[in-house]
Amino acid sequence: MKKFNFRKVLDGLTASSPGSGSSSASNSGGAGSGSVHPGGTAGVLREEIQESLTSEYFQICKTVRHGFPYQPTALAFDPVQKILAIGTRTGAIRILGRPGVDCYCQHESGAAVLQLQFLINEGALVSASSDDTLHLWNLRQKRPAILHSLKFNRERITYCHLPFQSKWLYVGTERGNTHIVNIESFILSGYVIMWNKAIELSTKTHPGPVVHLSDSPRDEGKLLIGYENGTVVFWDLKSKRAELRVYYDEAIHSIDWHHEGKQFMCSHSDGSLTLWNLKSPSRPFQTTVPHGKSQREGRKSESCKPILKVEYKTCRNSEPFIIFSGGLSYDKACRRPSLTIMHGKAITVLEMDHPIVEFLTLCETPYPNECQEPYAVAVLLEKDLILVDLTQTNFPIFENPYPMDIHESPVTCTAYFADCPPDLILVLYSIGVKHKKQGYSNKEWPVSGGAWNLGAQTYPEIIITGHADGSIKFWDASAMTLQMLYKLKTSKVFEKQKVGDGKQTCEIVEEDPFAVQMIYWCPESRIFCVSGVSAYVIIYKFSRQEITTEIVSLEVRLQCDVEDIITPEPETSPPFPDLSSQLPSSRSLSGSTNTVSSEGVTKDSIPCLSVKTRPVRMPPGYQADLVIQLVWVDGEPPQQITSLSISSAYGIVAFGNCTGLVVVDFIQKTVLLSMGTIDLYRSSDLYQRQPRSPRKNKQFIADNFCMRGLSNFYPDLTKRIRTSYQSLTELNDSPVPLELERCKSPTSGLATRTPEAAPGFYRNEMPAVRQRNQVHHLPEARENSYNRSRSSSISSIDKDSKEAVTALYFMESFARKNDSTVSPCLFVGTSLGMVLLISLNLPSSDEQRFTEPVMVLPSGTFLSLKGAVLTFSCMDRTGSLMQPPYEVWRDPNNTDENEKTWKRKLVMNYSTSPQETGDHQYTIICSEKQAKVFSLPSQTCLYVHNITETSFILQAEVVGMCNSACLACFCANGHIMIMSLPSLRPMLDANYLPLTDMRIARTFCFTNEGQALYLVSPTEIQRLTYSQEMCDNIQDMLGDLFTPIETPEAQNRGFLKGLFGGSGQTFDREELFGEATAGKASRSLAQHIPGPGSIEGVKGAAGGVMGELTRARIALDERGQRLGELEEKTAGMMTSAEAFSKHAHELMLKYKDKKWYQF
């Protein structure tokens, strides 16, 4: 544990310039890759800070993946273990059991999964991938591993079949051949069924790829092979010949047996179903086109769309089920994808929202020669997974316990809160459960396999997702699970868009005008704030009571006319201009607005969306308290919001974009500040600027040049921002223009003013506002007098400068240098690396807060960093992380409490004594290039860490971990970096994930307790941890996929069925397919690859004593497993012997005393 004595550190610092006492000199610190201590002096720190975090506390590890598997391709189900597996086009496999049992595994090759086959009740899974490789997965561990792989070199895999309780896997290929693989050794058998031997010698055409393989339910020695061209071969494995052949003139897609093994059903490309009897294979026993129009006798039935799959399942007490996908008539082009269920004479068509990828019928028994008794159908869609209840006549669906609807509307932003107030989850669930859909099956979810326990992680976690349709979902993410708690629809605040009015009001975006762009949530006060892509901000308050009220709306004109500034000669400006010249946006809102939408007429002072003006019923939960909208300015739409923050303690919300900053009092529903970013500098120090030599400016540009960063994401003000969250723009590789020279100008010759000397800052009567309930009429103001006063050199810089507000932070801090007490402050960070502190002067008493105006006064304090500012945070003098003040939640609509006696309860989290001297607070600021730690109120930069030179930071957050704090960063080159605080010592630098999609940059977020998440695909959330402790305990938090379950006993077939129902001979596959009889397969046909989970994989991965010990342990586990199985079989034989002895003894006693003639 390293101690940092700031007194010794600061004693060794030297002044770097005559102006080192100002913030501009102290924050121009050195460059380099490590922590730098720049020049400057600070107040004496009387205490030492002990940093408890070391590099041993950190390690990157993926924890769990939530959501629907992206681009699914295959489906499998284990009827005994009751677990479900889904394969995807990217080579991923998701295995699902009971809630909490959710496992993700990935093929290293990334090849698409073609088919999945469970080894039923064996804890293993076989996957066939598009690179013609078979893989055997071990599911008896919490993170499945590949035991064996078999790569086919000369043939392509098309279909696989593994009979129940068999260790021989049938593999069909594109050439029409059928190979056999030993599951235990994963070695190819020498037994091969060649296509030219399966078909008749007289056949001149190739039958096509193998599309189906299955053994006969009556006789395991008979194999049914289906070829694509319509040929079906019933192959005798012992005699190695075709027992019978079936021909049909339509292509075959799937085949399924009747459980008695006398009939099988085929689905064809013309939408027909054919039923074949083994006794008369010359023609179909029955042919039907379920969705075809009835034709006259003698005519062929009308062809329909192909039936891609059919399943033929029998029941003991009712007619069999025939379930198939596809087969609809071609004349119904607008029909959605459907699943048809035929039960007796009843035909039910279930229309789906998405195309059907695969479906499986879940049956009671795993034995194919018994009555199947289907009870559900699992339907895998392109974007959903549903289970249909077959036991009820109306076929309802089961309520899905998994979070498969994350992508119901595309996710546009995320937020992650760990260790939040414990009562929030119960409160949100109690509200959200009232709005759940009805009509689900009353039975439990049938996929109930595996085992899961709560684990050691007990703190509550909440994930919030914003979506393109304006909806917001709150998820319970505690204990490695994900369950939706509550859904909020922000679009209900606005009027519905009419088809004819879409282009008139929503030109800022081409689609998804309600898309959520940013969210800000205060869990303690339950204040929720959201900004949308159409330049609006909505403030929500939580209430348990239903209300009906009008929605208060504010319209703000935010303008910064820097393009029209052309000043050839410098002119002298007065030290304090008048109010009108300070307000370039004060001409905005009069009583009328230009709402003409015809071409050729400039649109001005109208919002992008229309807020509902009538009273709106708001159910319990989050209720809209205030809507703030930016309006069009001179024919240009408002720019999208780039930063958002809210303070429940102050009752103030702030947001900014690439035009400027807006500060609103949401208690009094008034705007406190609406100003362009450049105007924030003007009002403090622009008149006091000192001339700079061109050489100095050029050197500053060279030192602060950024290759690329978030600043490049903000386009020119003259261009409209058009955003679609489903097709995001690529990263811009062009260098940053000369606008970076603007970074230093506000801090040159800084002149700090007292509040009385700053007449350019305003109270609640900010004129650039129109409140819908009360319109202020103000005269127009002219900017020309102010604009002409600027020098030509500054004008040339500002003309190219598009400085966006990128970060906002409310905190009790020191607004000015050498202040003795803290006060409410707003930290403002910009895309050019500037940090401005704005002082908030709030009324002293609680009663006055609702009536007296709030003063917003920029303090004149400026700090600078390289690159766009991303995040702020503060620490006290002991090194503890400070939380922003908040108001304790109270139901705003509670009628039981007396409003007159009620007072706001604020938690400030910080206090200083007037007698104390020196610095009291440390402010951590992180940009896309570097991080700095300043001590306040002296404003001295204590530490600088240049995080990256060749890339840029996408996401940064100061988080709490192990009762300490650290700075977590995610870089565009895929690195995750952790730094200690306040010294900024690197703790971790791991190359985790390259930025392959802007989706990752938009959704990556850190939170406390060493956790993070991002949207790994359009439908899935990936959670990870950077905590060593959680990485060590991850096995205890995950669920078990395999649980020991006894295999159900086969039904007694009876004497007559055993005598006449099938072959009486036992079929020994080992004798037929083994090396002794079938020989070895060609080595060039397939290559065996030991997996990392097998003994060979361990042998190749580790050598020496450790490798031997690992192999011995695995062999011992396998031996113990076999001994356990042998013990179970022995016990069963003993039980049977005892029962036989008992019955024999009873029989002997019965006939002991009888004479011979009595029998």
Side-chain angles (χ1 to χ4, degrees), residues 1030-1097:
M1030 182 170 288
C1031 290
D1032 295 338
N1033 299 328
I1034 189 67
Q1035 293 292 333
D1036 298 333
M1037 302 177 186
L1038 300 176
D1040 293 302
L1041 296 173
F1042 178 80
T1043 54
I1045 300 175
E1046 186 176 353
T1047 303
E1049 293 185 1
Q1051 294 180 1
N1052 188 2
R1053 301 182 65 188
F1055 177 76
L1056 293 178
K1057 284 191 176 182
L1059 184 62
F1060 301 106
S1063 175
Q1065 301 177 0
T1066 59
F1067 178 66
D1068 189 356
R1069 293 188 178 94
E1070 180 69 30
E1071 180 182 354
L1072 188 60
F1073 302 144
E1075 184 177 338
T1077 305
K1080 292 184 178 180
S1082 173
R1083 293 186 178 181
S1084 61
L1085 183 61
Q1087 177 187 0
H1088 176 257
I1089 305 172
S1094 64
I1095 295 181
E1096 293 84 353

Side-chain angles (χ1 to χ4, degrees), residues 702-755:
D703 292 342
N704 291 274
F705 183 80
C706 303
M707 290 187 63
R708 65 179 183 178
L710 294 180
S711 307
N712 299 335
F713 292 159
Y714 304 108
D716 191 273
L717 287 174
T718 60
K719 298 179 181 179
R720 298 175 182 176
I721 296 180
R722 297 184 180 274
T723 301
S724 172
Y725 282 98
Q726 296 163 359
S727 56
L728 294 165
T729 57
E730 297 292 331
L731 293 175
N732 185 10
D733 289 322
S734 60
V736 178
L738 289 179
E739 64 192 28
L740 281 178
E741 187 179 1
R742 175 73 173 79
C743 292
K744 191 177 179 180
S745 59
T747 61
S748 300
L750 179 66
T752 305
R753 289 203 185 104
T754 60

Side-chain angles (χ1 to χ4, degrees), residues 812 822 882 908-913 916 920:
E812 293 282 310
V822 295
M882 296 173 54
M908 306 308 291
N909 294 324
Y910 190 79
S911 63
T912 58
S913 174
E916 294 181 355
H920 304 276

Side-chain angles (χ1 to χ4, degrees), residues 64-68 94 99-100 102 400-406 415-416 452 461-465 473-485 1013 1019-1023:
V64 68
R65 182 172 293 201
H66 302 297
F68 180 76
R94 286 279 294 280
D102 188 344
N400 198 328
Y402 314 124
M404 294 292 185
D405 57 346
I406 293 176
Y416 192 6
W452 177 78
E461 301 172 74
I462 291 179
I463 294 173
I464 304 177
T465 56
K473 295 180 180 180
F474 292 76
W475 306 84
D476 178 11
S478 307
M480 295 293 176
T481 62
L482 193 69
Q483 192 72 29
M484 196 173 79
L485 297 172
L1013 65 81
T1019 62
E1020 295 170 288
I1021 289 177
Q1022 177 66 58
R1023 293 168 65 178

Side-chain angles (χ1 to χ4, degrees), residues 900-954:
K900 295 182 179 180
T901 60
W902 172 80
K903 292 185 179 181
R904 299 174 68 217
K905 183 178 180 181
L906 305 181
V907 179
M908 306 308 291
N909 294 324
Y910 190 79
S911 63
T912 58
S913 174
Q915 289 78 21
E916 294 181 355
T917 59
D919 286 354
H920 304 276
Q921 192 180 86
Y922 307 103
T923 298
I924 302 101
I925 308 174
C926 184
S927 72
E928 61 186 7
K929 287 291 183 180
Q930 65 178 188
K932 287 186 178 183
V933 177
F934 294 89
S935 71
L936 299 180
S938 66
Q939 299 179 8
T940 302
C941 182
L942 297 178
Y943 293 98
V944 179
H945 182 71
N946 293 322
I947 301 174
T948 178
E949 294 293 342
T950 60
S951 186
F952 58 95
I953 303 299
L954 292 168

